[in-house]
Amino acid sequence: MDRYAVMGHPVSHSRSPQIHALFAKATGQLMTYERIDPEPDRFEAAVARFRSEGGKGLNITLPFKERAFALADGQTARARAAGAANTLDFREGQVFADNTDGVGLVRDIVQNQRFMLQQKHILLLGAGGAARGVVLPLLAEQPARLVVANRTAARAFAILSELKASGTITDDLMGRAEACGLEDIPAEPFDVVINATSSSLTGAVPEVPQGVFGPRTLAYDMMYGRGQTPFLKLAQTHGAPYLADGLGMLVEQAAESFYLWRHLLPATAAVLQQLRAELG
Ligand code: ATR
């Protein structure tokens, strides 16, 4: 049996074991997938131990994504752009780091919501790890414009300057991105407004001009939970007709990790449907 796990602190809430078990069953893969919760100062040792015991790969969640990136022997461009890894793959005696969060988001928007991003105007709210992980994959969809807006404007500017410095993006795509504070967001309707802030955790919403939601806007919250998130409620109140939470992104990022490890891309619709039903 090939062995995989998700590492985080805490990790008990993680749905990854369930998702990967469903993928393994559907694709006939013989593998186990467990949760590991290392003490924060023991993360690197825990990874080394898992490898030495024959582990094949890991998903990484908070607060270890940057350290997972740093310990790898090689990193994909999308992990370099994020400066963080949510997936480690152990092969040929080496550790490879990838970040599948962005492609998970893009696939959920483009394939599941059937919303093309090419030539669209995208507003990305937030400039923490969640936002950082998705900027390159969003730009790779060739939007007309990507505005990264954050309560602390300097962090939004930092994301873009670090992305540029990472050498993973063309000048053409970089030129489509801009940064600002929440109060400087252009008050015009965006095609897609993505909430990558952690504001929902406290029941708050980022203070954005209500004009960003138009009659054709997709409002996307990277958070999810039982019932509608505060951000999606706000978007709906301001007239956004299309609403999506982050459950689809969760399943799609997992599928991409599974693909990296097993070279098979599992179907996601039934898994998403099951998680949605369980969420109630
Ligand atoms: P994560 O890794 O989940 O993105 P983080 O690095 O702590 O977590 O970042 C949290 C993000 O949510 C930040 O962009 C934060 O804004 P600041 O950089 O100004 O702190 C944003 N955020 C959290 N609560 C918010 C709120 N009530 N309104 C607006 N933005 C908020």
Side-chain angles (χ1 to χ4, degrees):
M1 281 273 200
D2 286 342
R3 199 174 154 210
Y4 298 88
V6 56
M7 265 190 203
H9 184 78
V11 80
S12 58
H13 64 281
S14 172
R15 289 171 188 269
S16 294
Q18 181 189 7
I19 296 172
H20 284 282
L22 291 168
F23 288 161
K25 195 168 168 209
T27 57
Q29 299 290 294
L30 288 178
M31 55 188 272
T32 62
Y33 191 108
E34 63 211 87
R35 289 185 180 87
I36 300 175
D37 185 347
E39 285 303 315
D41 62 341
R42 303 285 300 154
F43 170 68
E44 287 77 9
V47 173
R49 178 171 173 184
F50 186 74
R51 273 183 80 198
S52 72
E53 292 170 351
K56 297 282 185 198
L58 287 168
N59 280 132
I60 307 295
T61 186
L62 301 181
F64 299 131
K65 289 183 177 185
E66 286 82 10
R67 283 160 68 183
F69 173 81
L71 66 73
D73 302 302
Q75 297 107 345
T76 59
R78 58 197 187 193
R80 283 207 307 279
N86 74 337
T87 311
L88 295 178
D89 185 23
F90 308 136
R91 61 179 129 101
E92 294 147 24
Q94 296 208 302
V95 180
F96 291 93
D98 197 358
N99 192 315
T100 66
D101 286 330
V103 74
L105 171 71
V106 167
R107 226 175 256 160
D108 191 36
I109 292 175
V110 174
Q111 290 180 17
N112 299 344
Q113 314 294 330
R114 301 186 184 281
F115 213 93
M116 295 304 135
L117 294 174
Q118 206 170 10
Q119 290 307 321
K120 295 288 169 62
H121 291 236
I122 305 175
L123 173 60
L124 178 65
L125 302 169
R132 192 174 293 265
V134 302
V135 171
L136 179 68
L138 284 173
L139 284 170
E141 292 300 297
Q142 315 231 343
R145 184 184 197 192
L146 173 68
V147 177
V148 183
N150 195 44
R151 184 174 59 184
T152 311
R155 293 184 78 195
F157 283 97
I159 283 196
L160 295 189
S161 55
E162 284 161 30
L163 176 61
K164 195 167 182 200
S166 74
T168 54
I169 187 160
T170 62
D171 290 344
D172 168 38
L173 289 184
M174 201 65 230
R176 303 175 193 217
E178 58 202 90
C180 64
L182 295 180
E183 61 289 351
D184 294 324
I185 296 172
E188 59 193 52
F190 283 79
D191 298 297
V192 186
V193 181
I194 301 167
N195 180 29
T197 74
S198 56
S199 61
S200 302
L201 295 177
T202 57
V205 285
E207 286 179 27
V208 295
Q210 71 178 63
V212 302
F213 301 107
R216 285 188 303 279
T217 300
L218 168 66
Y220 193 104
D221 197 341
M222 285 169 57
M223 295 268 168
Y224 62 88
R226 215 172 278 282
Q228 213 170 44
T229 68
F231 172 75
L232 292 180
K233 277 189 196 137
L234 175 85
Q236 191 171 37
T237 306
H238 293 321
Y242 308 113
L243 309 171
D245 72 11
L247 199 63
M249 174 179 174
L250 174 75
V251 174
E252 296 298 338
Q253 64 78 27
E256 185 70 7
S257 295
F258 190 92
Y259 176 73
L260 185 75
W261 296 326
R262 310 302 302 182
H263 311 294
L264 279 167
L265 192 58
T268 51
V271 175
L272 181 53
Q273 210 174 11
Q274 179 169 338
L275 290 188
R276 179 71 67 197
E278 288 173 12
L279 209 58

